[in-house]
């Protein structure tokens, strides 16, 4: 199981952002919350995840992780320990909403689903979303399933929702509104430390956007990782996706959630998504960063420090906003 594919959403060129649980029971005063290991069919083997549910007959939200080797909790071995998805799931359970958070095909407990975790496209991940939805509906009897995507996971959610009747609606958290090549170029330009290799990086992005593979053997080591040959097919496929265009074709309830101190996906991206779907509900969270943690400082180092702190709670407004959206649209 290899994790060559790096996060597409970098706050710095050298700082990328981006366990199968057994059945357990935790209790809250009312109702009890049950955590269960769940699975769905994958291409070559099972896809693995965790369901956290306060009971039967409640809305179910499928959570799609962000880019790179991000696991079902929203963490990765690249220094990301914010546990954003786990904290969201725990918060939603207390409000009467079940969640299923997953390991992507080829990674972690889903390692057996494909031989090579890098040999994927956004379309492949969207196919897995439908496999998960079918399994969740079979397990729970739900008529449809809500799909929540964080960062790159929002692109997967948008792709899966095209012409889908079994998706209740979408929750797009820190999801880019523009093609990823534009977002990546903007992030690289935003960090002054990237100046010495910026021209080389932008040229690489332009070639991949045009569908051309690139030789990275003479690149700066950080760029060699960012544009590694093993992930170039994925990048080429991802750069073709226009999230705003995808959203404009979806006629389902949509919630757009964006932190105003997000260094990776900007408020402008949320506005682009909102323009693509004027009926969508859009929520801007002040003093909130990409991993939905509170940040009051403009200091990049302070912002980045929250990525490695699972004990720091999510901003208080995010769970109520998602819960209100799902529950109000489910009745």
């Amino acid at each position: 199981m290899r994790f060559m594919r790096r996060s597409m959403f970098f706050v710095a060129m050298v700082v990328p952002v981006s366990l199968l649980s057994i059945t357990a029971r935790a209790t809250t005063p009312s109702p009890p919350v049950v955590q269960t290991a769940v699975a769905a069919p994958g291409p070559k083997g099972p896809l693995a995840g965790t369901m956290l549910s306060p009971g039967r007959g409640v809305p179910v939200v499928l959570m799609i992780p962000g880019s790179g080797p991000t696991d079902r909790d929203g963490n990765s071995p690249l220094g990301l320990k914010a546990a954003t998805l786990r904290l969201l799931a725990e918060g939603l359970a207390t409000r009467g909403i079940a969640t299923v958070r997953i390991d992507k095909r080829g990674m972690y407990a889903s390692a057996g689903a494909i031989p090579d975790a890098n040999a994927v496209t956004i379309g492949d991940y969207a196919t897995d979303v439908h496999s998960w939805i079918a399994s969740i509906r079979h397990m729970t009897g739900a008529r449809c399933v809500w799909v929540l995507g964080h960062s790159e996971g929002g692109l997967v959610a948008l792709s899966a929702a095209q012409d889908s009747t079994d998706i209740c609606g979408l929750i797009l958290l820190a999801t880019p509104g523009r093609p990823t090549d534009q977002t990546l170029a903007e992030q690289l330009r935003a960090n002054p430390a990237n100046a010495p290799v910026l021209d080389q990086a932008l040229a690489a992005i332009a070639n991949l956007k045009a569908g051309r593979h690139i030789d990275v053997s003479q690149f700066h080591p950080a760029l060699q990782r960012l544009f590694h040959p093993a992930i170039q097919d994925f990048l080429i496929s991802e750069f073709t996706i226009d999230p705003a265009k995808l959203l404009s074709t979806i006629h389902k309830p949509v919630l757009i959630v964006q932190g105003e101190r997000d260094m990776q996906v900007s408020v402008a991206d949320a506005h682009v998504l909102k323009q693509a779907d004027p009926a969508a509900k859009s929520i801007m969270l002040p003093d909130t960063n990409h991993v939905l943690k509170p940040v009051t400082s403009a200091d990049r180092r302070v912002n980045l420090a929250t990525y490695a702190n699972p004990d720091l709670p999510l901003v208080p407004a995010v769970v109520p906003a998602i819960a209100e959206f799902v529950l109000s649209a489910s009745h």
Side-chain angles (χ1 to χ4, degrees):
M1 177 171 60
R2 295 182 297 149
F3 298 138
M4 293 298 302
R5 193 167 73 77
R6 299 288 173 168
S7 167
M8 281 314 307
F9 300 105
F10 281 77
V11 294
M13 183 183 65
V14 294
V15 185
V17 278
S18 287
L19 305 169
L20 180 61
S21 60
I22 59 173
T23 302
R25 182 176 295 268
T27 58
T28 57
S30 176
V33 175
V34 178
Q35 179 171 291
T36 310
V38 292
K44 301 293 184 181
L47 302 163
T50 298
M51 174 176 279
L52 198 63
S53 176
R56 293 190 64 83
V58 300
V60 185
V61 176
L62 175 65
M63 296 183 163
I64 312 302
S67 59
T70 305
D71 67 15
R72 69 184 74 181
D73 288 342
N75 298 331
S76 93
L78 304 180
L80 180 60
K81 301 176 183 178
T84 299
L85 298 182
R86 176 178 61 79
L87 294 173
L88 281 173
E90 292 170 354
L92 291 172
T94 67
R95 293 174 178 266
I97 297 172
T99 57
V100 174
R101 57 190 198 273
I102 63 172
D103 289 337
K104 294 182 286 187
R105 61 164 65 187
M107 297 186 185
Y108 307 108
S110 296
I114 55 172
D116 182 359
N118 297 312
V120 294
T121 64
I122 294 292
D124 293 331
Y125 288 149
T127 296
D128 294 344
V129 167
H130 289 291
S131 181
W132 272 113
I133 289 173
S135 294
I136 291 168
R137 293 181 66 196
H138 179 75
M139 288 185 289
T140 66
R143 178 183 60 83
C144 60
V145 175
W146 294 88
V147 179
L148 177 153
H150 179 247
S151 195
E152 183 184 276
L155 302 183
V156 177
L158 286 165
S159 297
Q162 303 298 303
D163 301 317
S164 173
T165 59
D166 52 7
I167 292 178
C168 306
L170 302 180
I171 301 152
L172 305 176
L173 307 180
T175 296
R178 297 160 292 165
T180 304
D181 60 293
Q182 296 179 26
T183 305
L184 179 58
E186 183 176 281
Q187 292 169 1
L188 290 167
R189 289 190 185 100
N191 187 350
N194 295 333
V197 295
L198 185 59
D199 288 345
Q200 191 174 55
L202 296 179
I205 291 171
N207 276 293
L208 292 168
K209 177 72 170 181
R212 295 188 293 266
H213 293 88
I214 54 176
D215 179 3
V216 299
S217 59
Q218 303 302 313
F219 280 22
H220 184 282
L223 292 184
Q224 289 180 5
R225 295 192 297 269
L226 181 58
F227 301 114
H228 195 283
I231 64 170
Q232 288 185 22
D233 284 336
F234 177 85
L235 298 180
I236 289 170
S237 72
E238 186 174 48
F239 286 179
T240 66
I241 294 174
D242 185 337
K245 184 175 181 179
L246 290 179
L247 182 54
S248 70
T249 67
I250 295 172
H251 305 290
K252 299 176 183 294
V254 174
L255 174 64
I256 301 164
V257 179
Q258 179 63 46
E260 294 182 353
R261 289 194 183 271
D262 189 331
M263 297 189 298
Q264 300 160 247
V265 177
S266 70
V267 170
D269 284 283
H271 291 327
V272 170
L273 292 174
K274 175 65 174 176
Q275 290 170 0
D277 181 7
K281 183 175 183 181
S282 180
I283 296 176
M284 301 295 151
L285 299 175
D287 294 329
T288 303
N289 70 1
H290 190 67
V291 292
L292 306 179
K293 298 294 181 83
V295 178
T296 58
S297 170
D299 190 323
R300 294 172 64 88
R301 293 169 298 180
V302 173
N303 198 318
L304 281 172
T306 71
Y307 286 61
N309 187 355
D311 298 323
L312 181 65
L314 302 176
V315 291
V318 66
V319 168
I322 295 171
E324 179 183 354
F325 171 74
V326 170
L327 294 173
S328 63
S330 297
H331 293 98

